[in-house]
Amino acid sequence: MGIQFMSAVLFVKDMASSRHFYEDLLEQPVDLDLGLNVGYKGGLAIMQTALVHQVIFGSATEVPTESKTHEVYFETKDLDTLIKKLEGEGVRFIHPVREQPWGQRVFRVYDPDGHIVDVGEPMPMVIFRMLGDGKTAEEISAKTSMPLEIVQAIIQAGEGQ
């Protein structure tokens, strides 16, 4: 099945302040800037809290009191097998597989301590799924918010097939 840890995501209220803190004060180099979601080299990411709550819980204002202020993010090419395994162990799901606004299929669960664990398909798989649906590299870049050069490089390398 192959599950890979990708990053820890901190939910932040003020992106500008958080970016200043991590980029200017702690000198963390940006790996990928998607506006309200910024990934740093080394695995840390920050994401705007209102967007996180909308994406995870479907509401920017009504959030379960047990929710934490971060999530741990993994990727696997085989979401269905992992879901069956977790269901078989009685793991509590936050939501079933659903497509995020950027096109990635993900599901989220709670770990035994109530921390949010996000599991998604690798973005190269998303890109090749969109290609299969007839979208151009430009359309994929717009949908995923990934820079066109990265989308084109993934397509050229054949990474998601």
Side-chain angles (χ1 to χ4, degrees):
M1 174 175 18
I3 303 168
Q4 181 180 0
F5 172 74
M6 297 303 290
S7 70
V9 182
L10 302 177
F11 304 162
V12 300
K13 293 180 183 176
D14 183 337
M15 284 298 287
S17 295
S18 294
R19 289 193 71 167
H20 170 69
F21 179 80
Y22 288 104
E23 294 167 31
D24 300 331
L25 303 179
L26 297 185
E27 300 178 3
Q28 295 302 295
V30 174
D31 186 39
L32 186 60
D33 183 350
L34 301 175
L36 298 179
N37 182 1
V38 176
Y40 297 99
K41 294 183 191 307
L44 177 67
I46 59 174
M47 193 172 197
Q48 179 72 39
T49 302
L51 173 62
V52 167
H53 290 168
Q54 183 65 44
V55 167
I56 295 175
F57 301 107
S59 171
T61 55
E62 296 180 28
V63 177
T65 56
E66 67 202 38
S67 72
K68 307 290 183 177
T69 58
H70 62 279
E71 71 180 4
V72 181
Y73 173 56
F74 292 84
E75 287 184 351
T76 181
K77 293 180 179 179
D78 193 354
L79 291 177
D80 296 328
T81 299
L82 182 57
I83 289 169
K84 288 176 185 167
K85 180 178 181 180
L86 296 176
E87 287 174 339
E89 291 292 321
V91 172
R92 190 165 56 128
F93 281 70
I94 297 171
H95 63 76
V97 173
R98 66 178 178 212
E99 188 173 303
Q100 299 300 281
W102 53 90
Q104 183 184 35
R105 293 176 57 241
V106 306
F107 68 89
R108 290 181 179 86
V109 297
Y110 288 111
D111 79 359
D113 292 305
H115 297 105
I116 297 170
V117 177
D118 176 354
V119 183
E121 62 185 343
M123 287 306 292
M125 285 183 66
V126 175
I127 290 168
F128 280 94
R129 182 168 28 84
M130 290 180 181
L131 272 177
D133 291 342
K135 291 191 176 11
T136 65
E138 291 78 9
E139 291 169 326
I140 293 169
S141 173
K143 173 72 175 173
T144 63
S145 298
M146 293 179 76
L148 180 59
E149 310 82 62
I150 292 175
V151 171
Q152 291 170 329
I154 290 170
I155 292 169
Q156 286 181 334
E159 292 178 27
Q161 296 185 6

